[in-house]
Amino acid sequence: MNKVNNYFKNQIVLCLIIVLTSTISCKKDLTDSINITESNWQLKSIVTNGKKYKASKEDPSQENAYLLIFNNDSIFSLNLSVNYAKGNYNIFSNGAIIINSYQASTKICCENDFDNKLIETFSTVTSYKVINNTLTFKGEKGEIKFTKQ
């Protein structure tokens, strides 16, 4: 009888350890519970045409380079390395989003290659997901990841 009790105690402890470690390591999907427009988002990476590109921290001409800002419930701005882009958006349920009237503003002629990839990819996004502090947009031309500021 004592062996049976010890066996059950060990099984309970093992189950608790498994549950606790899996809960701690899980990434929580916050897409439906967080309002992405209430935060600013710093660009982390772009994946387009099967290649991953990271935002360069070397010599950005703008202090807030690669920052996504939701100005209100329908307008966003996206700071690039020197210039910026802006447009309208609509958010729907289950992480659906549409980018409308998207345009880049030019302070200095010609964007760099990274900025062009960002503009092209962001203009086609149709969905987003928030996992922990990472906002991921997906669309026809690829995926863009931002980190909550």
Side-chain angles (χ1 to χ4, degrees):
M1 187 66 139
N2 201 13
K3 285 184 179 182
V4 172
N5 285 340
N6 284 338
Y7 173 78
F8 283 116
K9 284 180 186 178
N10 289 338
Q11 291 300 314
I12 290 171
V13 169
L14 181 62
C15 287
L16 284 172
I17 290 171
I18 290 171
V19 168
L20 288 174
T21 56
S22 65
T23 303
I24 291 170
S25 65
C26 285
K27 294 180 177 181
K28 188 170 182 178
D29 185 344
L30 302 171
T31 304
D32 292 330
S33 63
I34 189 170
N35 183 348
I36 63 170
T37 66
E38 293 176 349
S39 299
N40 293 337
W41 300 88
Q42 185 67 52
L43 181 65
K44 190 174 178 181
S45 64
I46 305 168
V47 176
T48 184
N49 296 324
K51 294 182 180 176
K52 185 174 185 176
Y53 304 90
K54 291 193 174 196
S56 174
K57 294 182 180 168
E58 297 174 13
D59 191 34
S61 301
Q62 222 186 133
E63 185 177 322
N64 291 320
Y66 305 117
L67 188 66
L68 173 63
I69 301 164
F70 292 96
N71 304 93
N72 62 38
D73 287 342
S74 64
I75 298 173
F76 73 89
S77 60
L78 176 59
N79 295 337
L80 304 170
S81 60
V82 175
N83 300 315
Y84 69 94
K86 65 180 179 177
N88 297 326
Y89 67 92
N90 292 343
I91 292 179
F92 303 96
S93 62
N94 300 321
I97 187 169
I98 294 178
I99 305 297
N100 303 308
S101 308
Y102 186 67
Q103 61 186 1
S105 174
T106 307
K107 291 181 186 176
I108 295 178
C109 180
C110 308
E111 302 291 346
N112 63 40
D113 190 47
F114 182 82
D115 288 4
N116 286 330
K117 284 178 179 28
L118 176 58
I119 291 168
E120 283 181 26
T121 307
F122 193 73
S123 66
T124 67
V125 301
T126 55
S127 67
Y128 71 92
K129 188 173 271 297
V130 180
I131 304 290
N132 295 339
N133 285 327
T134 300
L135 169 61
T136 303
F137 290 102
K138 290 186 178 183
E140 176 186 322
K141 298 216 176 182
E143 174 181 287
I144 306 170
K145 290 188 181 220
F146 290 86
T147 303
K148 188 176 181 178
Q149 286 272 283

Coordinates of all heavy atoms in Angstrom, one line a residue, residues 6-64:
N6 N 3.3 6.1 -2.8 CA 4.5 6.8 -3.3 C 4.4 6.9 -4.8 O 4.8 7.9 -5.3 CB 5.7 6.0 -2.9 CG 6.1 6.3 -1.4 OD1 5.7 7.3 -0.8 ND2 6.9 5.4 -0.8
Y7 N 3.9 5.9 -5.5 CA 3.8 5.9 -6.9 C 2.9 7.1 -7.3 O 3.2 7.8 -8.2 CB 3.3 4.6 -7.4 CG 3.0 4.6 -8.9 CD1 4.0 4.5 -9.8 CD2 1.7 4.7 -9.4 CE1 3.7 4.6 -11.2 CE2 1.4 4.8 -10.7 CZ 2.4 4.7 -11.6 OH 2.2 4.7 -13.0
F8 N 1.7 7.2 -6.7 CA 0.8 8.2 -7.0 C 1.3 9.6 -6.7 O 1.1 10.6 -7.5 CB -0.6 8.0 -6.3 CG -1.4 6.9 -7.0 CD1 -1.7 5.8 -6.3 CD2 -1.8 7.1 -8.3 CE1 -2.4 4.8 -7.0 CE2 -2.6 6.1 -8.9 CZ -2.9 4.9 -8.3
K9 N 2.0 9.7 -5.6 CA 2.6 11.0 -5.2 C 3.7 11.4 -6.3 O 3.7 12.6 -6.7 CB 3.3 10.9 -3.9 CG 2.4 11.0 -2.7 CD 3.1 10.9 -1.4 CE 2.2 10.8 -0.2 NZ 2.9 10.6 1.0
N10 N 4.5 10.5 -6.7 CA 5.5 10.8 -7.8 C 4.8 11.2 -9.1 O 5.3 12.1 -9.8 CB 6.4 9.6 -8.0 CG 7.3 9.3 -6.8 OD1 7.6 10.3 -6.0 ND2 7.8 8.1 -6.7
Q11 N 3.7 10.5 -9.4 CA 3.0 10.8 -10.7 C 2.4 12.2 -10.6 O 2.5 13.0 -11.6 CB 1.9 9.8 -10.9 CG 2.4 8.4 -11.3 CD 3.3 8.4 -12.5 OE1 2.9 9.0 -13.5 NE2 4.4 7.8 -12.4
I12 N 1.9 12.6 -9.5 CA 1.3 13.9 -9.3 C 2.4 15.0 -9.4 O 2.2 16.0 -10.1 CB 0.5 14.0 -8.0 CG1 -0.8 13.1 -8.0 CG2 0.2 15.5 -7.6 CD1 -1.5 13.0 -6.7
V13 N 3.5 14.8 -8.7 CA 4.6 15.7 -8.8 C 5.1 15.9 -10.2 O 5.3 17.0 -10.7 CB 5.8 15.3 -7.8 CG1 7.0 16.1 -8.1 CG2 5.3 15.4 -6.4
L14 N 5.2 14.7 -10.9 CA 5.7 14.8 -12.3 C 4.7 15.5 -13.2 O 5.1 16.4 -14.0 CB 5.9 13.3 -12.8 CG 6.4 13.2 -14.3 CD1 7.8 13.8 -14.4 CD2 6.4 11.7 -14.7
C15 N 3.4 15.3 -13.0 CA 2.4 16.0 -13.8 C 2.5 17.5 -13.5 O 2.4 18.4 -14.4 CB 1.0 15.5 -13.5 SG 0.7 13.9 -14.2
L16 N 2.7 17.9 -12.2 CA 2.8 19.3 -11.9 C 4.0 20.0 -12.5 O 3.9 21.1 -13.0 CB 2.8 19.5 -10.4 CG 1.5 19.3 -9.6 CD1 1.7 19.4 -8.1 CD2 0.5 20.4 -10.0
I17 N 5.1 19.3 -12.5 CA 6.3 19.8 -13.2 C 6.1 20.0 -14.7 O 6.5 21.1 -15.2 CB 7.5 18.9 -12.9 CG1 7.9 19.0 -11.4 CG2 8.7 19.2 -13.8 CD1 8.9 17.9 -11.0
I18 N 5.5 19.1 -15.3 CA 5.2 19.2 -16.7 C 4.3 20.3 -17.0 O 4.6 21.1 -17.9 CB 4.6 17.8 -17.3 CG1 5.7 16.8 -17.3 CG2 4.1 18.0 -18.7 CD1 5.2 15.4 -17.6
V19 N 3.2 20.5 -16.3 CA 2.3 21.6 -16.5 C 3.0 22.9 -16.3 O 2.8 23.8 -17.1 CB 1.0 21.4 -15.6 CG1 0.2 22.6 -15.6 CG2 0.2 20.2 -16.0
L20 N 3.7 23.0 -15.2 CA 4.4 24.3 -14.9 C 5.4 24.7 -15.9 O 5.5 25.9 -16.4 CB 5.0 24.3 -13.5 CG 4.0 24.3 -12.3 CD1 4.8 24.1 -11.0 CD2 3.2 25.6 -12.3
T21 N 6.2 23.8 -16.4 CA 7.2 24.1 -17.4 C 6.6 24.4 -18.7 O 7.1 25.3 -19.4 CB 8.3 23.0 -17.5 OG1 7.6 21.8 -17.8 CG2 9.1 22.9 -16.3
S22 N 5.6 23.7 -19.1 CA 4.9 24.0 -20.4 C 4.2 25.3 -20.3 O 4.2 26.0 -21.3 CB 4.0 22.9 -20.8 OG 2.9 22.8 -19.9
T23 N 3.6 25.7 -19.2 CA 3.0 27.0 -19.1 C 4.0 28.1 -19.1 O 3.7 29.1 -19.8 CB 2.2 27.1 -17.7 OG1 1.3 26.0 -17.7 CG2 1.4 28.4 -17.6
I24 N 5.1 28.0 -18.5 CA 6.1 29.0 -18.5 C 6.7 29.3 -19.9 O 6.9 30.4 -20.3 CB 7.2 28.7 -17.5 CG1 6.6 28.8 -16.1 CG2 8.4 29.6 -17.6 CD1 7.6 28.3 -15.0
S25 N 6.9 28.2 -20.7 CA 7.6 28.3 -22.0 C 6.6 28.6 -23.1 O 7.0 28.9 -24.2 CB 8.3 27.0 -22.3 OG 7.4 26.0 -22.4
C26 N 5.3 28.6 -22.9 CA 4.3 28.9 -23.9 C 4.3 30.3 -24.3 O 4.5 31.2 -23.5 CB 2.9 28.5 -23.5 SG 2.6 26.7 -23.4
K27 N 4.2 30.5 -25.6 CA 4.0 31.9 -26.1 C 2.5 32.1 -26.2 O 1.8 31.4 -26.8 CB 4.6 32.0 -27.5 CG 6.1 31.8 -27.5 CD 6.7 32.0 -28.9 CE 8.2 31.9 -28.8 NZ 8.8 32.0 -30.1
K28 N 2.1 33.3 -25.7 CA 0.7 33.6 -25.6 C 0.2 34.4 -26.8 O 0.8 35.5 -27.0 CB 0.4 34.3 -24.3 CG -1.1 34.4 -24.0 CD -1.4 34.9 -22.6 CE -2.9 35.0 -22.5 NZ -3.3 35.4 -21.2
D29 N -0.8 33.9 -27.4 CA -1.4 34.6 -28.6 C -2.3 35.7 -28.0 O -3.3 35.4 -27.4 CB -2.2 33.7 -29.4 CG -2.7 34.4 -30.7 OD1 -2.8 35.6 -30.7 OD2 -3.1 33.6 -31.6
L30 N -2.0 37.0 -28.2 CA -2.7 38.1 -27.7 C -3.5 38.8 -28.7 O -4.1 39.9 -28.5 CB -1.8 39.1 -27.0 CG -1.0 38.5 -25.8 CD1 0.1 39.5 -25.4 CD2 -1.8 38.1 -24.7
T31 N -3.6 38.3 -29.9 CA -4.2 39.0 -31.1 C -5.6 39.5 -30.8 O -5.9 40.7 -31.1 CB -4.3 38.0 -32.3 OG1 -3.0 37.5 -32.6 CG2 -4.8 38.7 -33.5
D32 N -6.5 38.7 -30.2 CA -7.8 39.2 -29.9 C -8.0 40.0 -28.6 O -9.0 40.6 -28.4 CB -8.8 38.0 -29.9 CG -8.9 37.4 -31.3 OD1 -8.8 38.1 -32.3 OD2 -9.1 36.2 -31.4
S33 N -6.9 40.0 -27.8 CA -7.1 40.7 -26.5 C -6.3 42.0 -26.4 O -6.4 42.6 -25.3 CB -6.7 39.7 -25.4 OG -5.3 39.3 -25.5
I34 N -5.5 42.3 -27.4 CA -4.7 43.5 -27.3 C -5.1 44.5 -28.5 O -5.4 44.0 -29.6 CB -3.2 43.2 -27.3 CG1 -2.4 44.4 -27.0 CG2 -2.8 42.6 -28.7 CD1 -0.9 44.2 -26.8
N35 N -5.1 45.7 -28.2 CA -5.4 46.7 -29.2 C -4.0 47.2 -29.7 O -3.4 48.0 -29.0 CB -6.2 47.9 -28.6 CG -6.6 48.9 -29.6 OD1 -6.1 48.9 -30.8 ND2 -7.5 49.8 -29.3
I36 N -3.7 46.8 -30.9 CA -2.3 47.2 -31.4 C -2.2 48.6 -31.7 O -1.0 49.1 -31.7 CB -2.0 46.4 -32.7 CG1 -2.9 46.7 -33.9 CG2 -2.0 44.9 -32.4 CD1 -2.5 46.2 -35.2
T37 N -3.3 49.4 -31.8 CA -3.2 50.8 -32.0 C -2.8 51.6 -30.8 O -2.5 52.8 -30.9 CB -4.5 51.4 -32.6 OG1 -5.5 51.3 -31.6 CG2 -4.9 50.6 -33.8
E38 N -2.8 51.0 -29.6 CA -2.4 51.7 -28.4 C -0.9 51.7 -28.1 O -0.5 52.3 -27.1 CB -3.2 51.1 -27.2 CG -4.7 51.4 -27.3 CD -5.5 50.7 -26.2 OE1 -5.0 49.9 -25.5 OE2 -6.7 51.0 -26.1
S39 N -0.1 51.2 -29.0 CA 1.3 51.1 -28.7 C 2.0 51.5 -30.0 O 1.5 51.4 -31.1 CB 1.7 49.7 -28.4 OG 1.1 49.3 -27.2
N40 N 3.3 51.9 -29.8 CA 4.2 52.0 -31.0 C 5.0 50.8 -31.1 O 5.2 50.1 -30.2 CB 5.1 53.2 -30.8 CG 4.4 54.5 -30.7 OD1 3.3 54.7 -31.3 ND2 5.0 55.5 -30.1
W41 N 5.4 50.5 -32.4 CA 6.0 49.2 -32.7 C 7.3 49.4 -33.4 O 7.3 50.1 -34.5 CB 5.1 48.3 -33.5 CG 3.8 48.0 -32.8 CD1 2.7 48.8 -32.8 CD2 3.5 46.9 -31.9 NE1 1.7 48.2 -32.0 CE2 2.2 47.1 -31.4 CE3 4.3 45.9 -31.4 CZ2 1.6 46.2 -30.5 CZ3 3.7 45.0 -30.6 CH2 2.4 45.1 -30.1
Q42 N 8.4 48.8 -32.9 CA 9.7 49.0 -33.5 C 10.0 47.8 -34.5 O 9.8 46.6 -34.1 CB 10.8 49.0 -32.5 CG 12.2 49.2 -33.0 CD 12.4 50.6 -33.5 OE1 12.1 51.6 -32.9 NE2 12.9 50.7 -34.8
L43 N 10.4 48.1 -35.7 CA 10.6 47.0 -36.7 C 11.7 46.1 -36.2 O 12.8 46.5 -35.7 CB 11.0 47.6 -38.0 CG 11.3 46.6 -39.1 CD1 10.0 45.9 -39.5 CD2 11.9 47.3 -40.4
K44 N 11.5 44.8 -36.4 CA 12.4 43.8 -36.0 C 13.0 43.1 -37.2 O 14.2 43.0 -37.4 CB 11.7 42.7 -35.1 CG 12.5 41.7 -34.4 CD 11.6 40.9 -33.5 CE 12.4 39.8 -32.8 NZ 11.5 39.1 -31.9
S45 N 12.1 42.6 -38.2 CA 12.6 41.9 -39.4 C 11.5 41.9 -40.4 O 10.4 42.1 -40.2 CB 13.1 40.5 -39.0 OG 12.0 39.8 -38.6
I46 N 12.0 41.6 -41.6 CA 11.1 41.4 -42.8 C 11.5 40.1 -43.4 O 12.7 39.8 -43.6 CB 11.3 42.5 -43.9 CG1 11.2 43.9 -43.3 CG2 10.4 42.3 -45.1 CD1 11.6 45.0 -44.3
V47 N 10.5 39.3 -43.8 CA 10.8 38.1 -44.6 C 10.0 38.3 -45.9 O 8.8 38.4 -45.9 CB 10.3 36.8 -43.9 CG1 10.5 35.6 -44.8 CG2 11.0 36.6 -42.6
T48 N 10.8 38.3 -47.0 CA 10.2 38.4 -48.3 C 11.0 37.6 -49.3 O 12.2 37.5 -49.2 CB 10.0 39.9 -48.7 OG1 9.4 40.0 -50.0 CG2 11.4 40.6 -48.8
N49 N 10.3 37.0 -50.3 CA 10.9 36.1 -51.3 C 11.8 35.1 -50.6 O 12.9 34.8 -51.1 CB 11.7 37.0 -52.3 CG 10.8 37.9 -53.1 OD1 9.7 37.5 -53.4 ND2 11.3 39.1 -53.4
G50 N 11.4 34.6 -49.4 CA 12.1 33.5 -48.8 C 13.4 34.0 -48.0 O 14.1 33.1 -47.5
K51 N 13.6 35.3 -48.0 CA 14.8 35.8 -47.3 C 14.5 36.7 -46.2 O 13.5 37.4 -46.2 CB 15.7 36.6 -48.3 CG 16.3 35.7 -49.4 CD 17.2 36.5 -50.3 CE 17.8 35.7 -51.4 NZ 18.5 36.5 -52.4
K52 N 15.2 36.6 -45.1 CA 15.0 37.4 -43.9 C 16.0 38.6 -43.9 O 17.2 38.4 -44.1 CB 15.2 36.5 -42.6 CG 14.8 37.3 -41.4 CD 14.8 36.3 -40.2 CE 14.4 37.0 -38.9 NZ 14.3 36.1 -37.8
Y53 N 15.4 39.8 -43.6 CA 16.2 41.0 -43.5 C 15.9 41.6 -42.1 O 14.8 41.7 -41.7 CB 15.8 42.0 -44.6 CG 15.9 41.4 -46.0 CD1 14.9 40.8 -46.6 CD2 17.1 41.5 -46.7 CE1 15.0 40.3 -47.9 CE2 17.3 41.0 -47.9 CZ 16.2 40.4 -48.5 OH 16.3 39.9 -49.8
K54 N 16.9 42.1 -41.4 CA 16.8 42.8 -40.2 C 17.1 44.2 -40.3 O 17.9 44.6 -41.1 CB 17.7 42.2 -39.1 CG 17.3 40.8 -38.7 CD 18.1 40.3 -37.5 CE 17.5 39.0 -37.1 NZ 17.8 38.6 -35.8
A55 N 16.3 45.0 -39.5 CA 16.6 46.5 -39.6 C 18.0 46.8 -39.1 O 18.4 46.3 -38.1 CB 15.5 47.2 -38.7
S56 N 18.7 47.6 -39.9 CA 20.0 48.0 -39.5 C 20.0 49.1 -38.5 O 19.3 50.0 -38.5 CB 20.8 48.5 -40.7 OG 22.0 49.0 -40.4
K57 N 20.8 48.9 -37.5 CA 21.0 49.9 -36.4 C 22.2 50.9 -36.7 O 22.5 51.8 -36.0 CB 21.1 49.3 -35.1 CG 19.9 48.5 -34.7 CD 20.0 47.9 -33.3 CE 18.7 47.2 -33.0 NZ 18.7 46.4 -31.9
E58 N 22.8 50.6 -37.8 CA 23.9 51.4 -38.2 C 23.5 52.7 -38.9 O 22.8 52.7 -39.9 CB 24.8 50.6 -39.2 CG 25.4 49.4 -38.6 CD 26.2 48.6 -39.6 OE1 26.5 49.1 -40.7 OE2 26.5 47.4 -39.3
D59 N 23.8 53.8 -38.3 CA 23.6 55.1 -38.9 C 22.2 55.4 -39.4 O 22.0 55.8 -40.6 CB 24.6 55.4 -40.0 CG 24.6 56.8 -40.4 OD1 24.4 57.7 -39.6 OD2 24.8 57.1 -41.6
P60 N 21.2 55.2 -38.6 CA 19.9 55.6 -39.1 C 19.8 57.1 -39.1 O 20.3 57.8 -38.2 CB 18.9 55.0 -38.1 CG 19.6 54.8 -36.9 CD 21.1 54.6 -37.3
S61 N 19.3 57.7 -40.2 CA 19.3 59.1 -40.3 C 18.2 59.7 -39.5 O 18.2 60.9 -39.2 CB 19.0 59.5 -41.8 OG 20.1 59.0 -42.6
Q62 N 17.3 58.9 -39.0 CA 16.1 59.4 -38.2 C 16.2 58.7 -36.9 O 16.5 57.6 -36.7 CB 14.8 58.9 -38.9 CG 13.8 59.9 -39.0 CD 12.5 59.3 -39.5 OE1 11.5 59.6 -38.9 NE2 12.4 58.7 -40.6
E63 N 16.0 59.5 -35.8 CA 16.0 59.0 -34.5 C 15.1 57.8 -34.2 O 15.4 56.8 -33.6 CB 15.8 60.1 -33.5 CG 15.9 59.7 -32.0 CD 15.7 60.8 -31.0 OE1 16.2 61.9 -31.3 OE2 15.2 60.5 -30.0
N64 N 13.9 58.0 -34.8 CA 12.8 56.9 -34.6 C 12.7 56.1 -35.9 O 11.6 55.8 -36.3 CB 11.5 57.6 -34.3 CG 11.5 58.2 -32.9 OD1 12.1 57.6 -32.0 ND2 10.9 59.4 -32.7

